[in-house]
Amino acid sequence: MRSILAGVGSYLPERIVTNDELARRLETSDSWIADRTGIRQRHIASDRETCAFMAAEASRAALRNAGAGPDDVDAIILATSTPDQAFPASALRVQAMLGVRHGFGFDLSAACTGFIYALSIADSMIRSGQIRGALVIGSELYSRIVNWQDRGTCVLFGDGAGAIFVRAGDRNDKRGVLSTHLHAQGTLGDILYVDGAVGRPDRPGHLVMNGREVFRHAVTRLAEAVEEALAANGLKRTDVDWLVPHQANRRIIEAMGRKLGLPPERVVITVDRHANTSAASVPLALDDAWRDGRIKRGDLVLLEALGGGLTWGSSLVRI
Ligand code: UT7
């Protein structure tokens, strides 16, 4: 059994905040942010646009795109670090909002790598025959957990959601998820973390990051993850049509593109418009290139991400 990527969808909050707007209330500038990261603006959620709300909107779009409906959804796996509540899982709020009446769902915490982790679980469950259709979602509101006084981190993040609908295909199908590769190193937990949680007296927590350390690990770990995905499938760098990377920093993304020998136009970049949306960034970028027709049926797409944990991973998908 293969997991076919049947549909993609996304949701971005209505409000856009530019670098210049941030520079009016913080000691920063459009040129500092854009030169270091490629970010020019980010979307910031209103009170109405919660994790579950955005996830449901993105999921509706993905189901529509796949020509599927609520009855086709056996599992909802929602990657997020910013759920609406400790429980029920935001995935189950999404289940209710979509009118899905069977199956199961849960939230998954793997920071910016969450979408790759969620895809890996959905793919394994489809391959084993346990489910036939799954919504795999990343939905994040880092605007709620960044420290708006810390210019070193708050300018980097944005809110949004992306979703895909994966369904069981035929074993002989050339399309689908070829492989997923997950990694974590808990000893690096203190280079990127949130210093609080629901249930802790010092909540709400704020995101804390040693940017230089994360940057250093991102470049080496992601390069390894890319090689691992190609080797596992007996493929060469030149076989890859598109790189759809986690959108944290344009410099990291371009380094990965160069490593693959891909021309810049084959690397999907949304960090300029979305900033870093953590677990939502890969499906948001995928939807961007899918909707405007850049990514086409038969293309080989490499997904990769790295985030707090430290977590990182990759996946190769034939569209
Ligand atoms: O999604 C999870 C994965 N995350 C990542 O992959 C992020 C990886 N890291 C990065 O992308 C980069 O490290 C950053 C973009 C976060 C930072 O870039 P950097 O080149 O490593 O800058 P820095 O943190 O070393 O700061 C350089 C200077 C400092 O001033 P001094 O000490 O040199 O005088 C900062 O105080 O820039 C200053 N600075 C700012 N200046 C203006 C930090 N933030 C800002 C700001 N505006 N917003």
Side-chain angles (χ1 to χ4, degrees):
M1 209 75 94
R2 269 274 174 86
S3 315
I4 307 291
L5 208 163
V8 187
S10 64
Y11 179 85
L12 286 161
E14 279 162 33
R15 180 156 177 253
I16 292 174
V17 176
T18 62
N19 291 347
D20 284 332
E21 192 176 336
L22 288 183
R24 268 179 244 135
R25 47 187 155 102
L26 275 171
E27 205 182 310
T28 188
S29 64
D30 176 50
S31 61
W32 192 95
I33 302 169
D35 291 351
R36 301 268 168 147
T37 68
I39 297 165
R40 305 223 78 123
Q41 63 172 46
R42 71 282 298 135
H43 292 250
I44 301 290
S46 65
D47 289 350
R48 188 181 64 97
E49 293 166 314
T50 67
C51 170
F53 174 90
M54 297 196 300
E57 290 295 314
S59 298
R60 276 192 195 99
L63 288 174
R64 231 178 3 253
N65 184 235
D71 292 346
D72 300 311
V73 179
D74 301 323
I76 302 175
I77 308 178
L78 170 49
T80 187
S81 301
T82 49
D84 293 8
Q85 301 161 294
F87 71 86
S90 291
L92 302 185
R93 298 292 188 197
V94 173
Q95 188 196 42
M97 287 178 197
L98 297 181
V100 175
R101 282 163 305 188
H102 74 286
F104 61 92
F106 57 91
D107 293 352
L108 184 155
S109 164
C112 302
T113 320
F115 181 78
I116 307 280
Y117 272 53
L119 177 60
S120 183
I121 293 169
D123 179 45
S124 300
M125 292 184 122
I126 286 176
R127 282 178 196 262
S128 71
Q130 203 172 344
I131 57 171
R132 291 196 57 81
L135 278 167
V136 179
I137 315 164
S139 183
E140 299 278 24
L141 293 99
Y142 272 42
S143 64
R144 306 277 161 84
I145 56 167
V146 292
N147 176 357
W148 284 102
Q149 314 306 321
D150 176 17
R151 66 175 183 169
T153 52
C154 72
V155 303
L156 304 173
F157 295 92
D159 301 335
I164 62 173
F165 180 65
V166 282
R167 60 168 178 77
D170 196 81
R171 183 201 296 261
N172 300 320
D173 215 318
K174 294 263 185 291
R175 299 163 58 205
V177 178
L178 304 189
S179 66
T180 56
H181 306 272
L182 306 185
H183 297 279
Q185 190 175 342
T187 53
L188 293 173
D190 289 339
I191 64 171
L192 174 52
Y193 62 99
V194 176
D195 63 357
V198 179
R200 280 187 51 160
D202 56 349
R203 77 178 179 90
H206 282 141
L207 183 144
V208 183
M209 177 166 74
N210 180 337
R212 279 195 193 165
E213 273 298 287
V214 176
F215 194 103
R216 202 166 63 78
H217 286 288
V219 173
T220 46
R221 299 307 192 192
L222 290 174
E224 287 165 12
V226 162
E227 293 298 340
E228 181 183 27
L230 291 173
N233 294 285
L235 292 166
K236 303 183 296 297
R237 294 171 188 193
T238 47
D239 293 322
V240 176
D241 295 303
W242 293 98
L243 175 64
V244 182
H246 172 47
Q247 309 283 323
N249 186 313
R250 195 175 185 119
R251 288 184 288 153
I252 300 174
I253 295 170
E254 287 174 347
M256 286 308 120
R258 281 196 297 277
K259 174 127 193 72
L260 279 166
L262 280 173
E265 62 273 16
R266 290 270 158 180
V267 179
V268 179
I269 294 189
T270 52
V271 70
D272 53 334
R273 288 165 286 143
H274 302 168
N276 183 346
T277 57
S278 190
S281 93
V282 169
L284 268 164
L286 186 63
D287 190 42
D288 202 62
W290 177 295
R291 243 179 321 122
D292 67 18
R294 271 178 289 166
I295 293 181
K296 295 192 176 60
R297 184 138 295 177
D299 284 352
L300 185 66
V301 178
L302 181 56
L303 314 175
E304 46 92 330
L306 175 137
L310 208 67
T311 53
W312 67 98
S314 62
S315 178
L316 265 171
V317 184
R318 177 81 63 192
I319 301 298

